[in-house]
């Protein structure tokens, strides 16, 4: 898949997130990192963007607090990020993303 970080009319596509990504160091941004960056941007940046990112990832299936690293539960993080990834392929609208993730 093509990685698209620009907003505005194009739906975002990211490579599939794999559990081992959360245990890997790479010079190139991994898909979950790109998704987090996109969520920060969609959420408006700053504190609002951070809260939006946290809420969307939680809605995607991440049930742990912000102090728990994704590497501690890589399978759960993988599932949550792939749920978010699928939603981002449908819309970039913040309310629609939340609706897709919470209502299915």
């Amino acid at each position: 898949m093509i990685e698209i970080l620009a907003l505005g009319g194009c739906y975002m596509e990211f490579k599939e997130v794999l559990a081992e990504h959360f245990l890997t160091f790479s010079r190139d941004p991994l898909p979950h990192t790109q998704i987090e960056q996109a969520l920060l941007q969609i959420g408006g940046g700053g504190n609002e963007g951070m809260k939006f990112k946290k809420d969307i990832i939680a809605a995607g299936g991440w049930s742990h607090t912000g102090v728990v690293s994704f590497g501690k539960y890589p399978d759960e993080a993988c599932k949550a990020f792939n749920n978010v990834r699928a939603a981002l392929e449908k819309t970039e609208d913040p309310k629609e993303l939340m609706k897709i993730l919470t209502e299915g």
Side-chain angles (χ1 to χ4, degrees), residues 45-62:
N47 289 336
E48 288 178 21
M50 291 294 287
K51 181 178 181 337
F52 176 76
K53 177 188 80 158
K54 180 181 146 255
D55 292 346
I56 289 291
I57 294 170
W62 181 251

Side-chain angles (χ1 to χ4, degrees), residues 15-25 30-32 74:
K15 291 182 182 176
E16 180 180 5
V17 179
L18 305 175
E20 60 256 21
H21 288 158
F22 298 99
L23 306 172
T24 302
F25 292 101
L30 294 167
H32 70 280

Side-chain angles (χ1 to χ4, degrees), residues 37-71:
Q37 290 170 349
L39 292 173
L40 286 170
Q41 190 175 0
I42 292 168
N47 289 336
E48 288 178 21
M50 291 294 287
K51 181 178 181 337
F52 176 76
K53 177 188 80 158
K54 180 181 146 255
D55 292 346
I56 289 291
I57 294 170
W62 181 251
S63 63
H64 304 282
T65 65
V67 297
V68 176
S69 78
F70 297 127

Side-chain angles (χ1 to χ4, degrees), residues 1-4 12-16 85 89:
M1 294 207 156
I2 302 168
E3 296 139 18
I4 302 170
M12 298 183 181
E13 296 182 22
F14 300 94
K15 291 182 182 176
E16 180 180 5
R85 176 180 160 258
E89 289 177 349

